[in-house]
Amino acid sequence: MKINCLKSAFLLFISLSVLLSGCELAPFVPQPNGLDKINSNEKKFDIDKFEANLVEGLGNQWVGYSYVINQNGRMVHSGVFGSWKVGRSVAPADLNSSLYLASVGKTITAVSVIIAMREFGSGLNSMLNFPIGPYLPVQLNASPQVNSLRFRDLLTHRSGFAQNMNLSFANMKVLAGSNTVASNSPYVYSNVNFSLLKYAVFRLAGQNLNGILDETEQENKVNSFFMSYLKTRIFDPAGITSQSTVSDDVLYYLMGDGAGVAGWSFGDLRARLGSGGIYMNTMDLARFQAFLNNSETLLTTQERAAMYVNYLGWADVNPQTNPIVGSQGTYYSKQGSFQNNTGQGVRTIIITYPKNKVEAVFMANTRGGNLDNTNGLNLVFRNAYDNAWD
């Protein structure tokens, strides 16, 4: 397996961008009982060993992947493996080609909701338990049960909505008319929750669909506004420029696809905005992590802490029953996956280790293999980090 560690060219890229932006480094999630203090008898973290452990754990089952490791908002390590495209259109993996983030976009949506609550509402702490009804377009014709769902329910997958991959405006109208939901329902992961949050940001910002009768035009207006809101409130402040809803930089494969097998192109995924829908390169995804966790450019210290404590936009399984707990506390991850009917697809993950402000991002253009599941990939990142303390 060949790994290209791109330290010399990119080592200071994120750190200089953070520092030159003028953002102020701020505390991360405060640790109880002084766990954020240095103990001379405590094991020391070796970030070089973390990278080595991670590369070993990921193995060579991928067609291509890329990763970045940050600490204190600065990129420390990065690497790539394999190819983004094989066959006649061969293209080696790099850090600057845009991949589909899939459900990692939910974390970005959660940040946008928190910003909108602060900008147009009464703030996160006040609004987390507000019903969403007043913040949904009337054109969705939401049922009383859906209107009574809280922002918290959508942000933590406790709304009662079942998983659904059809996130078109027409189908969201059908789902919003559901009477089978209830606040604080048992945890069920569903794209519907974060698709509705896109509409909530639209309405929080004072936007409406009045006078627009065509459903396609209604959907286009919501999606255009939401992408613009992400750009002005998140991407531009963090210096992110690679975001889009369509990209042909990378093709997607199933593990075992030979050079003669055509890779899959996702095409335009704007209909999935809110729950996904965003392409971005690895460097920019690492920038998002750096700014989210190490500055107040996006969220205040209090908002960031509340986001983590309440698992808003984090976790792919029920955090109450299956949190990622390692030797250094609780770790917070968000994974993304998407595939076609032959199994070709994408795998992405962002993960934060609060104790010493370490973050990692990983994107692969491959599905299949023994790590193609939520727990398997989470364990690779947990164990690589835990085993880097000596």
Side-chain angles (χ1 to χ4, degrees):
M1 180 175 67
K2 180 180 179 182
I3 297 291
N4 300 314
C5 292
L6 309 178
K7 300 170 187 168
S8 58
F10 298 104
L11 182 59
L12 298 179
F13 186 78
I14 290 177
S15 58
L16 286 175
S17 299
V18 172
L19 293 175
L20 292 176
S21 71
C23 72
E24 177 185 357
L25 292 182
F28 187 58
V29 181
Q31 298 298 303
N33 302 319
L35 290 181
D36 53 339
K37 304 290 192 298
I38 296 177
N39 183 337
S40 60
N41 295 320
E42 192 176 37
K43 290 183 176 180
K44 301 299 188 296
F45 178 71
D46 185 340
I47 201 164
D48 297 336
K49 188 173 182 180
F50 173 44
E51 180 190 33
N53 292 343
L54 184 59
V55 169
E56 181 180 2
L58 290 170
N60 61 359
Q61 62 180 277
W62 317 90
V63 173
Y65 73 68
S66 58
Y67 66 86
V68 169
I69 298 171
N70 297 335
Q71 187 168 27
N72 297 314
R74 298 167 175 83
M75 189 181 76
V76 180
H77 290 300
S78 63
V80 301
F81 167 83
S83 300
W84 291 144
K85 296 178 181 180
V86 298
R88 292 183 178 180
S89 57
V90 62
D94 60 24
L95 299 176
N96 298 302
S97 298
S98 293
L99 282 81
Y100 181 44
L101 301 186
S103 287
V104 168
K106 290 181 173 67
T107 308
I108 298 173
T109 295
V111 172
S112 76
V113 171
I114 296 170
I115 293 172
M117 286 175 167
R118 181 210 315 144
E119 185 174 7
F120 304 111
S122 53
L124 174 61
N125 289 338
S126 172
M127 297 187 68
L128 190 56
N129 292 317
F130 275 17
I132 65 168
Y135 308 100
L136 293 179
V138 296
Q139 288 80 1
L140 282 177
N141 298 320
S143 69
Q145 289 81 1
V146 170
N147 279 328
S148 66
L149 293 173
R150 304 169 300 169
F151 280 95
R152 179 191 294 274
D153 299 319
L154 299 181
L155 285 162
T156 59
H157 297 289
R158 299 182 69 87
S159 67
F161 277 114
Q163 177 64 299
N164 195 296
M165 302 300 285
N166 183 352
L167 303 175
S168 67
F169 186 84
N171 198 49
M172 289 303 298
K173 287 177 65 175
V174 173
L175 296 171
S178 171
N179 294 318
T180 59
V181 299
S183 184
N184 200 33
S185 293
Y187 180 95
V188 176
Y189 187 93
S190 176
N191 290 325
V192 179
N193 297 312
F194 280 77
S195 185
L196 281 178
L197 287 169
K198 169 180 65 179
Y199 292 96
V201 171
F202 178 80
R203 287 293 297 126
L204 267 167
Q207 300 293 306
N208 63 69
L209 298 173
N210 296 346
I212 304 176
L213 302 179
D214 181 79
E215 286 184 348
T216 300
E217 292 182 15
Q218 291 173 336
E219 184 172 15
N220 287 341
K221 181 173 181 179
V222 172
N223 287 333
S224 294
F225 173 82
F226 185 70
M227 197 64 179
S228 175
Y229 192 81
L230 295 180
K231 182 178 187 300
T232 57
R233 269 59 169 195
I234 297 177
F235 301 143
D236 285 352
I240 292 170
T241 60
S242 66
Q243 77 281 352
S244 65
T245 59
V246 60
S247 173
D248 294 320
D249 287 352
V250 175
L251 295 178
Y252 301 89
Y253 302 89
L254 175 66
M255 191 191 77
D257 282 351
V261 177
W264 182 35
S265 176
F266 290 142
D268 195 327
L269 294 173
R270 73 182 69 189
R272 303 187 64 81
L273 282 171
S275 75
I278 301 172
Y279 294 83
M280 188 181 296
N281 69 38
T282 314
M283 290 294 292
D284 276 346
L285 185 56
R287 291 173 68 86
F288 170 73
Q289 279 279 78
F291 275 83
L292 173 62
N293 292 328
N294 299 276
S295 82
E296 295 202 359
T297 301
L298 304 181
L299 299 183
T300 68
T301 304
Q302 293 74 25
E303 289 169 341
R304 181 169 61 245
M307 182 182 177
Y308 280 88
V309 169
N310 293 285
Y311 284 91
L312 309 179
W314 295 103
D316 304 284
V317 293
N318 188 349
Q320 295 181 347
T321 59
N322 196 22
I324 308 174
V325 178
S327 63
Q328 307 302 319
T330 300
Y331 313 143
Y332 300 86
S333 81
K334 184 73 196 79
Q335 291 196 44
S337 63
F338 195 54
Q339 66 185 53
N340 62 11
N341 56 13
T342 65
Q344 294 174 312
V346 66
R347 266 286 175 187
T348 59
I349 182 173
I350 58 176
I351 188 165
T352 297
Y353 309 90
K355 182 170 183 177
N356 57 349
K357 298 185 181 181
V358 170
E359 308 136 11
V361 308
F362 167 82
M363 296 203 279
N365 64 338
T366 320
R367 294 294 303 264
N370 60 7
L371 294 182
D372 192 23
N373 63 84
T374 297
N375 287 333
L377 205 52
N378 277 339
L379 288 177
V380 165
F381 279 80
R382 184 199 71 180
N383 295 341
Y385 179 82
D386 284 354
N387 294 330
W389 290 81
D390 293 314

